[in-house]
Amino acid sequence: MSSSAPESALRGFRHASVLLDGAVDTLVHDPEGVYLDGTFGRGGHSRAILARLAPTGRLLAIDRDPQAVAEAGGIDDPRFTIEKGEFARLDEIAAAHGVQGRLAGVLLDVGVSSPQLDDPERGFSFLRDGPLDMRMDPTRGKSAADFLADADEAELARVFKEYGEERFARRLARAIVARRVERPFTRTADLAEVVKTAHPAWEKGKHPATRVFQALRIHVNGELEQLDAALSAGLETLAPGGHLVVISFHSLEDRRVKRFIREHVRGDSHLPRDVPIRDAQLDRRLVALGKAQRPSPAEVDANPRARSAVMRAARKLA
């Protein structure tokens, strides 16, 4: 394992893993099993999983952020392996490590991490001025600045509406297109100020650029498409009896996770009720593990970013 991320880039940005105990308690049901952490982040969940594993257990972690992969270099444990890559490809990565269809559990902690938000050089936040990047892997794809420079008004409005659920998507898109004629957007503070000025209805306690920044981040990183692919890939990598645990942070993600689990719990339930069919023929592949879990008031007090988190879990049937 190696990374070009300088050590200084990893200092000073703390990350508190959300729903840590609940997620790991649900995930690790066989201490001797092989597990996959699809979003290493800064390693909070991975370290907690390793603490629960027997000497014969194993953990494979994935992250597309070079800084996260560099952070994983601090884990000196023969049971642990890190791979740089997108969690949408977790089935390919599992196959390369000889564990496809053999995993006892898959954990997905979806969305952006606190270190990514807190580092102005990553360009995720409107609270600190920095380059308008937003890529989880800064070595690949188009940055947010590139997208804002190239997209037409209709495409900008679609992204703001679909991924940010922004009511004034078209109005804000129009303001951005008008301003970029004068000069391109390259800094987060510049974009935040233009959105702030153009937004007609500020929500109490929420910066008016919140939804636009969320939408850009989701679009630039293909987050929802990545999640859909990771859920399907995760199901295929699990052994019978394996656990799928997913933590999401906003309704767009959680709706996808809830729908995925529900569809595989029900099987072919779209068939008419009067069609004679055996239960075994429904092709049910999952059973839900309890209800959705949310952070406790104490966890939210300690980490306000945890307030919107939702954890859902399911077990793969034979």
Side-chain angles (χ1 to χ4, degrees):
M1 163 187 38
S2 65
S3 173
S4 59
E7 183 183 354
S8 60
L10 304 175
R11 292 197 210 105
F13 303 112
R14 298 184 59 199
H15 178 67
S17 297
V18 175
L19 289 164
L20 179 64
D21 291 335
V24 177
D25 287 345
T26 304
L27 182 75
V28 181
H29 59 98
D30 175 9
E32 296 184 340
V34 183
Y35 293 86
L36 186 145
D37 181 354
T39 42
F40 178 82
R42 291 302 181 266
H45 287 118
S46 281
R47 290 181 175 88
I49 293 167
L50 288 168
R52 308 285 182 93
L53 295 185
T56 51
R58 182 177 170 192
L59 175 62
L60 172 62
I62 302 170
D63 208 295
R64 56 173 159 171
D65 187 333
Q67 291 186 7
V69 176
E71 176 76 12
I75 298 181
D76 183 16
D77 190 320
R79 302 170 299 170
F80 176 75
T81 305
I82 181 74
E83 285 283 353
K84 182 179 182 295
E86 300 171 341
F87 69 5
R89 297 177 46 249
L90 65 84
D91 53 344
E92 299 173 31
I93 294 171
H97 285 266
V99 294
Q100 171 72 346
R102 295 174 46 204
L103 294 178
V106 172
L107 172 65
L108 303 175
D109 184 1
V110 186
V112 66
S113 70
S114 291
Q116 289 169 330
L117 285 171
D118 293 340
D119 184 353
E121 294 303 307
R122 302 302 300 271
F124 285 100
S125 177
F126 46 79
L127 297 177
R128 300 170 179 85
D129 186 36
L132 192 56
D133 194 309
M134 297 193 188
R135 289 172 295 175
M136 292 182 179
D137 182 352
T139 67
R140 299 184 62 185
K142 294 175 65 172
S143 68
D146 293 333
F147 174 67
L148 288 178
D150 296 338
D152 61 24
E153 182 180 316
E155 175 67 359
L156 289 173
R158 181 193 68 80
V159 167
F160 298 162
K161 178 70 174 178
E162 186 173 339
Y163 298 146
E165 300 179 297
E166 173 57 67
R167 286 189 299 151
F168 302 98
R170 185 163 293 279
R171 178 171 181 155
L172 299 180
R174 190 179 308 119
I176 288 171
V177 169
R179 214 309 299 277
R180 77 184 182 192
V181 173
E182 303 172 14
R183 66 182 187 279
F185 289 94
T186 61
R187 308 289 297 182
T188 56
D190 183 24
L191 175 62
E193 185 61 31
V194 169
V195 173
K196 178 179 175 181
T197 301
H199 206 293
W202 297 10
E203 298 176 53
K204 185 177 180 180
K206 181 178 288 189
H207 192 288
T210 299
R211 295 180 183 275
V212 166
F213 270 67
Q214 172 185 297
L216 286 172
R217 190 202 82 218
I218 291 173
H219 174 75
V220 164
N221 294 290
E223 291 182 34
L224 298 184
E225 296 82 2
Q226 287 271 324
L227 175 58
D228 289 341
L231 291 169
S232 296
L235 179 57
E236 298 308 319
T237 62
L238 287 171
H243 291 189
L244 175 66
V245 179
V246 187
I247 302 170
S248 55
F249 286 84
H250 58 72
S251 60
L252 293 175
E253 298 166 342
D254 184 53
R255 282 198 294 265
R256 279 172 151 77
V257 177
K258 182 178 180 180
R259 182 174 65 242
F260 179 85
I261 292 176
R262 183 179 63 230
E263 288 176 353
H264 288 287
V265 166
R266 291 178 177 176
D268 293 328
S269 58
H270 62 278
L271 295 171
R273 292 175 181 264
D274 57 350
V275 172
I277 187 169
R278 294 190 182 95
D279 189 62
Q281 293 176 290
L282 288 173
D283 192 29
R284 294 189 173 109
R285 304 194 68 192
L286 292 172
V287 58
L289 293 174
K291 298 180 179 180
Q293 292 188 31
R294 298 181 183 274
S296 67
E299 183 172 4
V300 174
D301 286 343
N303 178 16
R305 287 175 178 163
R307 64 185 178 276
S308 60
V310 181
M311 187 190 85
R312 297 184 187 273
R315 183 178 71 248
K316 183 175 179 178
L317 298 172

